[in-house]
């Protein structure tokens, strides 16, 4: 049996604001942890070295296609999440397909050309959907809110994993309609478990999640901390939308630089954050936030 692991250090609000970095994986019960550990084998190292050589030759990222996709011609596409898991998404045609480590330049270009890039299936969204698919206890029988949902890959993965209700929010109404349409394929037994909400996180409505019954057990988001403004806004949405005993789970590409901003604003709002290696993905970081009581005595 594997040796016992020490618990990851936690950033207490009375001691630090930046997210504490856990040394390795996040959940010991995830099958993806074994996959991450397997990367230490000689064979895995050779494969990783070969892959890196190909990336170095062709660039760290791959971008195929230009412009915003046509939602009216979207096709139902099966997104492979590994080990027999998948999620079905209605993906617009002629939209850019982005893979690899996304550079800040690509992100900036797509923000301008794609009006928020919600119609791109971003690598971080696939990674977080994969984690939920393989650790369904994160969301099973719980209410879930996906922030910056776009096509709703994470929210629809939560539906498949047994969430009691899922709300996918974004500022792009076209993409939300596709996300809701995808719910028919991912929750055919009861698609009413899925709802959508048009939300501009820079202008959160006063009545957003005011009552405790309107809040969520789990808030999820992928690749939303792309600049300082977004990081602050996401923290505010998490604070407003999460129940007192709930949590937020974010997947952020490793090369992003605004996780500390998110942690700092969350600290001021009474949250603690833990940053950890993302199971099975060296190019991603996992950020978990939970509400705490701060002693002011």
């Amino acid at each position: 049996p594997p040796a016992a692991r020490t618990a990851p250090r936690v950033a207490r609000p009375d001691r630090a604001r930046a997210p504490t970095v856990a040394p390795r994986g996040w959940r010991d019960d995830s099958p993806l942890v074994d996959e991450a550990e397997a990367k230490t084998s000689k064979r895995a190292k050779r494969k990783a070295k070969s892959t890196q050589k190909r990336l170095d030759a062709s660039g760290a990222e791959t971008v195929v296609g230009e412009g915003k996709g046509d939602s009216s011609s979207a096709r139902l596409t099966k997104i492979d999440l590994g080990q027999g898991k998948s999620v079905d998404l209605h993906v617009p045609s002629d939209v850019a397909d982005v893979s690899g480590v996304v550079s800040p330049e690509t992100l900036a270009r797509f923000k301008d050309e794609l009006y928020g890039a919600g119609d791109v299936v971003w690598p971080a969204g696939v990674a977080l959907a994969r984690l939920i698919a393989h650790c369904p206890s994160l969301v099973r029988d719980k209410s879930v809110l996906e922030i910056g949902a776009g096509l709703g890959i994470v929210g629809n993965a939560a539906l498949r994993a047994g969430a009691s209700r899922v709300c996918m929010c974004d500022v792009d109404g076209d993409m939300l309609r596709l996300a809701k349409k995808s719910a028919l394929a991912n929750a055919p037994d009861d698609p009413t478990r899925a709802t959508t909400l048009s939300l501009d996180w820079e202008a959160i409505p006063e009545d957003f999640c005011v009552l405790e019954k309107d809040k969520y057990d789990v808030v999820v988001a992928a690749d939303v901390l792309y600049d300082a403004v977004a990081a602050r806004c996401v923290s505010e949405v998490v604070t407003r939308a999460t129940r007192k005993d709930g949590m937020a789970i974010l997947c952020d590409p490793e090369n992003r630089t605004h996780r500390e901003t998110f942690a700092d604003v969350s600290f001021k709002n009474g949250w603690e954050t833990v940053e950890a290696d993302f199971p099975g993905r060296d190019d991603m970081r996992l950020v978990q936030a939970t509400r705490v009581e701060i002693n002011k005595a």
Side-chain angles (χ1 to χ4, degrees), residues 19-283:
T20 296
V21 178
R24 292 179 58 256
W26 182 57
R27 284 173 58 100
D28 290 346
D29 62 341
S30 170
L32 301 183
V33 172
D34 292 334
E35 180 178 331
E37 291 174 344
K39 291 187 175 181
T40 60
S41 69
K42 291 183 179 180
R43 180 180 179 184
K45 287 180 179 179
R46 288 196 300 268
K47 182 177 179 181
K49 186 176 181 179
S50 174
T51 300
Q52 188 59 50
K53 288 179 66 175
R54 291 198 305 271
L55 288 174
D56 291 341
S58 60
E61 64 182 357
T62 301
V63 181
V64 179
E66 294 286 345
K68 186 176 177 66
D70 181 2
S71 61
S72 65
S73 62
R75 299 186 300 271
L76 188 63
T77 305
K78 187 175 292 295
I79 308 297
D80 181 22
L81 301 179
Q83 300 181 21
K85 305 286 186 178
S86 64
V87 64
D88 295 326
L89 282 187
H90 285 274
V91 180
S93 62
D94 302 323
V95 70
D97 181 18
V98 183
S99 61
V101 180
V102 182
S103 67
E105 293 76 16
T106 294
L107 181 66
R109 174 166 63 86
F110 277 74
K111 283 178 65 180
D112 292 337
E113 294 183 3
L114 302 185
Y115 310 99
D119 47 2
V120 173
V121 181
W122 293 94
V126 177
L128 186 52
R130 189 167 182 248
L131 177 65
I132 289 173
H134 290 278
C135 293
S137 60
L138 290 171
V139 299
R140 184 181 291 130
D141 299 324
K142 298 176 182 178
S143 56
V144 177
L145 174 70
E146 182 183 6
I147 304 173
L151 294 171
I153 184 171
V154 181
N156 274 282
L159 282 174
R160 284 206 166 195
S164 60
R165 67 182 176 100
V166 174
C167 179
M168 295 167 280
C169 68
D170 200 286
V171 73
D172 190 331
D174 288 341
M175 297 307 104
L176 287 179
R177 282 186 282 275
L178 291 179
K180 182 64 181 295
K181 188 176 180 181
S182 296
L184 295 172
N186 293 293
D189 56 323
D190 185 9
T192 62
R193 287 190 290 132
T195 59
T196 59
L197 174 67
S198 178
L199 179 68
D200 180 353
W201 60 36
E202 293 189 34
I204 306 174
E206 292 183 2
D207 60 350
F208 175 69
C209 291
V210 173
L211 302 178
E212 186 67 18
K213 68 179 182 65
D214 296 329
K215 299 181 186 295
Y216 298 86
D217 299 311
V218 182
V219 175
V220 294
D223 203 353
V224 294
L225 308 180
Y226 45 77
D227 60 33
V229 172
R232 288 191 290 269
C233 291
V234 169
S235 179
E236 294 296 338
V237 175
V238 167
T239 298
R240 293 272 295 272
T242 312
R243 289 177 175 167
K244 292 181 179 179
D245 57 348
M247 66 175 175
I249 305 172
L250 283 69
C251 177
D252 195 47
E254 187 177 29
N255 63 334
R256 295 280 185 268
T257 59
H258 299 284
R259 290 184 291 277
E260 187 170 346
T261 300
F262 173 80
D264 185 63
V265 177
S266 298
F267 166 81
K268 295 175 182 177
N269 289 335
W271 290 74
E272 63 183 8
T273 59
V274 175
E275 180 182 336
D277 295 343
F278 202 98
R281 291 293 299 263
D282 293 338
D283 58 337

